[in-house]
Amino acid sequence: VRLVESGGGFVQPGGSLRLSCEVSGLTLSMTPMNWVRQAPGKGLEWVSRIGTDSKTYYADSVKGRFTISRDDAQSTLYLQMNSLETEDTAMYFCTNWKVRYCTLGRCFGTPDRASGDWGQGTQVTVSS
């Protein structure tokens, strides 16, 4: 399995970025996928998930601003990030790590880079 993220960069508060994750070695339409981020000096934070039924879930901190999607034909996962805030500064990873459970629009579990497949990450920096 290979996951390759791209699309990160430097953006001012209020700006937008779209992250991409090219997936190979698994069937994207049959695999729940997540975006997870790690801010400087902090632990891994789950951000968003898309299920095999295309149902989407978001952390409270990004709900209403971020949108997860996928293109099964291109085998690519996306994260559209709008209204970016300085607190969104982090390395962003795509992963098929299994969340513990999902309910009421969000998921729970502690991301673990030793579990599942992970990309190398793409850096997002939000600063004025």
Side-chain angles (χ1 to χ4, degrees):
V1 176
R2 188 163 182 252
L3 308 174
V4 180
E5 301 94 337
S6 61
F10 184 96
V11 64
Q12 291 187 334
S16 298
L17 283 173
R18 188 175 82 152
L19 306 184
S20 300
C21 174
E22 295 181 19
V23 178
S24 58
L26 58 80
T27 303
L28 188 58
S29 62
M30 297 176 65
T31 307
M33 294 293 294
N34 304 276
W35 286 98
V36 172
R37 67 186 180 185
Q38 186 167 28
K42 295 190 177 180
L44 295 166
E45 177 191 14
W46 173 80
V47 173
S48 183
R49 176 184 189 266
I50 184 166
T52 56
D53 56 0
S54 296
K55 193 167 181 181
T56 58
Y57 303 83
Y58 299 95
D60 291 343
S61 58
V62 307
K63 195 170 295 182
R65 300 187 298 120
F66 290 11
T67 303
I68 190 172
S69 63
R70 66 171 191 248
D71 183 329
D72 293 337
Q74 297 295 322
S75 198
T76 302
L77 180 73
Y78 299 102
L79 186 69
Q80 177 67 43
M81 306 187 297
N82 298 330
S83 302
L84 282 161
E85 304 169 352
T86 55
E87 293 79 11
D88 296 318
T89 294
M91 183 73 78
Y92 284 72
F93 301 93
C94 66
T95 174
N96 59 2
W97 158 77
K98 286 187 172 68
V99 302
R100 191 153 56 94
Y101 70 97
C102 298
T103 184
L104 299 177
R106 69 150 296 161
C107 299
F108 297 85
T110 302
D112 179 1
R113 292 201 66 183
S115 176
D117 301 293
W118 294 68
Q120 82 291 345
T122 186
Q123 178 67 40
V124 171
T125 302
V126 185
S127 176
S128 56

